[in-house]
Amino acid sequence: MTAGEPRAAFSEAYGRTPTAVASAPGRVNLVGGHTDYNEGLVLPMAVDLRTAVALAPRDDGRIRLRSTEFADEVVVDGLPDDPIDDRDDSWANYPLGVLVELDAAGLAPVGDGLDLLVTGDVPQGAGLSSSAALEVATAAAAYGLDPGVETGTDLPKGRLAEAAWRAETGFVGLDCGIMDQYASALCRADEALFLDCRSRETERVPFPDDDYRVVVVDTRVEHELAASAYNDRVAECREAAERLNDLLGGVDTLRDVDRDDFLAHADHLSAPLRRRVRHVVTENERVRAAAAALSAGDFDAVGDRMYESHASLRDDYEVSCRELDAVVDVAWTTDGVVGARMTGGGFGGSVVALVAADAVDEFSARVDRALSEEADVHPRTFVCASAEGVRLE
Ligand code: GLA
């Protein structure tokens, strides 16, 4: 099966027309690395690459799932209790987890089964959060199965994002924060989204695409540590919050720790925990500063916060690697690149850079050269425009 228009792809796959179609974008995060699961602040932007999900109901309880990315159909009888552990079919756990969550929340009529088709152009494993795009598109399409919901209806985007996030943490089993699902659901074109991962409050920050581009460099490197290190950092942050709660009181998560608290009690933390907390505290400050700078149209200041974020993720949070640092070094020495930092979990993956429109080609060429010469790595580069969040098609 080939990628393409979701209705046509659905008809090709199942020989009938879909009842509901939705699409959701991938995202980049300009600043705010590893703050979301500490109930902190982030500044993501949706990008113009989308995943579409088309659905039609069945009446026999069976769920059939197909993707233009994968050859095999996945079939389950009834909403499953546990994820599929066959590696080849594990992509289906994202939409299945969402259906389970929506059913439990009474948000979508999915209990009698359905046929589901996934298509789109969000690349997997490139740091653009293809999994959140798939989850959020599934949530909206399933919500759209209700005959009372028409294209153009206002979607309950926050509730769909929460269901998508619960699918990832509860069903798929990755202990991630809420950023990706919220960004894919709530972002809008020409804006970045200032998101408070504790209160779920948002502020829209204008991001005019006239003079600057957001460039994502996927190193295509994934060091073995990646998955376990993410969970290790989550655990270290919990431990540091508990320790600081003993000293200060009132600390549920590191969000409750500000710079003064940190400076006053840093000596009571082990050296690694001190570095982790310092990253989280200063990163929240950088998100506020970057959002203010972006509102004022000061792209240089946004870029400076990105470089600082990278240094903090590298030195204090210790989740960078040689290849990511090499890309940020190229950014630093290329005219017209105003900022860059690693994004995502770390130990491989991608760098997000803020680049003057006329410097994009030079930057990509220099990154290619540097990585192939220094590290025998061949990155792929995505030049992203801002885009609208989830919608019914
Ligand atoms: C991954 C997770 C996000 C976030 C980032 C780090 O992308 O999915 O929730 O924690 O890492 O900022």
Side-chain angles (χ1 to χ4, degrees), residues 13-286:
Y14 295 112
R16 59 185 183 133
T17 50
T19 309
V21 181
S23 75
R27 64 92 192 94
V28 294
N29 185 25
L30 297 171
V31 194
H34 290 269
T35 49
D36 62 351
Y37 54 81
N38 289 301
E39 296 189 320
L41 307 172
V42 290
L43 189 64
M45 182 188 100
V47 300
D48 53 340
L49 297 162
R50 303 185 79 82
T51 296
V53 170
L55 294 176
R58 302 173 61 90
D59 55 15
D60 59 359
R62 176 165 287 188
I63 301 170
R64 299 195 291 178
L65 306 102
R66 302 196 66 172
S67 163
T68 51
E69 295 275 307
F70 300 96
D72 291 337
E73 181 175 86
V74 180
V75 181
V76 291
D77 279 314
L79 288 164
D81 293 328
D82 300 303
I84 298 168
D85 59 11
D86 176 342
R87 211 187 141 85
D88 289 342
D89 292 343
S90 59
W91 67 270
N93 286 324
Y94 296 97
L96 281 173
V98 171
L99 298 176
V100 168
E101 287 299 334
L102 292 175
D103 183 62
L107 264 173
V110 296
D112 292 335
L114 43 82
D115 290 337
L116 179 149
L117 183 279
V118 182
T119 188
D121 55 12
V122 186
Q124 288 175 37
L128 292 166
S129 206
S130 60
S131 55
L134 171 54
E135 290 156 357
V136 171
T138 303
Y143 183 79
L145 280 176
D146 187 323
V149 177
E150 287 165 16
T151 310
T153 305
D154 278 343
L155 292 168
K157 293 180 180 177
R159 290 170 75 196
L160 298 179
E162 291 286 334
W165 172 71
R166 284 198 306 273
E168 178 120 12
T169 50
F171 191 80
V172 179
L174 183 75
D175 213 358
C176 67
I178 64 158
M179 168 175 67
D180 301 339
Q181 291 77 16
Y182 266 75
S184 184
L186 288 164
C187 282
R188 293 200 301 229
D190 300 320
E191 291 175 352
L193 185 77
F194 177 83
L195 169 65
D196 181 329
C197 297
R198 167 170 275 174
S199 67
R200 276 49 168 164
E201 276 165 359
T202 57
E203 274 171 46
R204 313 257 167 205
V205 187
F207 188 120
D209 278 341
D210 307 339
D211 299 328
Y212 290 91
R213 301 282 177 269
V214 172
V215 177
V216 173
V217 178
D218 172 18
T219 62
R220 301 201 209 219
V221 174
E222 170 129 14
H223 293 291
E224 224 169 274
L225 272 172
S228 62
Y230 188 90
N231 292 334
D232 288 350
R233 291 297 177 273
V234 174
E236 284 179 313
C237 288
R238 281 197 189 124
E239 187 189 337
E242 275 168 29
R243 182 92 186 92
L244 288 166
N245 188 43
D246 291 343
L247 295 162
L248 278 164
V251 178
D252 282 334
T253 65
L254 291 184
R255 174 60 186 278
D256 296 309
V257 180
D258 65 16
R259 177 178 283 256
D260 290 341
D261 296 333
F262 168 67
L263 290 173
H265 295 91
D267 288 349
H268 298 281
L269 297 170
S270 68
L273 289 192
R274 198 181 308 148
R275 290 197 294 275
R276 307 297 181 251
V277 179
R278 185 165 54 196
H279 167 73
V280 174
V281 168
T282 58
E283 188 76 353
N284 282 329
E285 293 178 351
R286 281 185 286 274

